[in-house]
Amino acid sequence: EEKARGGGRTAPQSAVVEKVVEHELAPEERLCPTCSIKRDVIGFEVSSQLDIIKAVLQRLKHIQLRYACSGCNGNVILAPKPEGPIGKGYATAALIAYIGVSKFDYHQPLYRQERFFRSYTVPVSRSSMCRWLKSAADIFEIVVERMRQLIIRSRVIQSDHTTMPMLKKGKGKVHQSYIWIYRGDDSYPYIYYDFTETQQALHPKRVLDGFTGILQTDGASYFQAVDADHAGCWSHAFRYMEAARDEDQERADYALAIMKCLFDIEDKARDATEEDRKALRQELAIPKLDLLKSWLDTAKKEVDFLPASNFGKAVGYCLNNWEALCLYASTGFVAAHNNNSENGLRSAVLGRRTGSLPALSMEAALPPSG
């Protein structure tokens, strides 16, 4: 007999038990069919289901009592109420947080949230939500700046950026903007996002002002303005070489095999201490890097080498960023790739790809400092 595939009989234990339903037999069903005597309860079975209750939007009505001295009918005082996040606005901090998380994490643009609130018979306009998010960004600016100050104390920062379409007020069309990510190390595990309207080197230079550690990126020219030691990303080099397989599979596969060896060494060193990881890289990775460098130099000198081809671009990327690509092997704390930074941008890319974030409104954008 095929089992019912309903996800099991037990609901997730993390759900709060809010309602207990007891199931009883009707009086006529409790009678014994043999002797007609009323049957007694001798035990019970327990099962659970996961239910959902429609979200409730409620008005918080504040009543502030006013006091006065009965002796002189003076000295009137009004009991204070909790300060709201936006002056005299009616949105609570919880509501603004809900709107912000829905937009930036769950990819629900404000026009969809407007429809959601309308379905609950509570009209909340997009313009109001835009103002609330802008005010929330202003409130959090001091927190974001503190995160930036802590991140630049890291020994290594990973960074990347991606495009983000923006509706610019008065233009009537989509403007290409950008979101940059900066990830601190284990000592300062913060993630800092910077929204900019242009793709210029001045932006990472501004954010990383005062940073003296190692900056790990994909080697884009925008990051070169930062006065720091630069580490490269072997995942980018791997993808460049992988794209060259259609043109020159034999040579591309040779380079890819060496790169895979580098990643295998990193897997082996994953749980090692910093000192042991450095020693392992020195022993195993550096010889592989020397072998690959010699092979790349030879490949570039071949008569059939075309710099504009995919293979030529892959070789050029590796050689142009060679010092940065090899920096990790001289340490035990720098990663061999920049994947964590790229993963941090997936939220923005996912919303852009699915169309749930067709454009970032200027009113709802974070301030330039965060």
Side-chain angles (χ1 to χ4, degrees), residues 218-236:
D218 59 4
S221 60
Y222 320 109
F223 298 105
Q224 301 308 311
V226 178
D227 186 15
D229 292 328
H230 291 265
C233 174
W234 276 106
S235 289
H236 276 81

Side-chain angles (χ1 to χ4, degrees), residues 22-36:
E22 291 188 0
H23 303 280
E24 299 180 348
L25 291 175
E28 62 273 13
E29 293 175 323
R30 294 182 62 176
L31 298 178
C32 177
T34 303
C35 61
S36 299

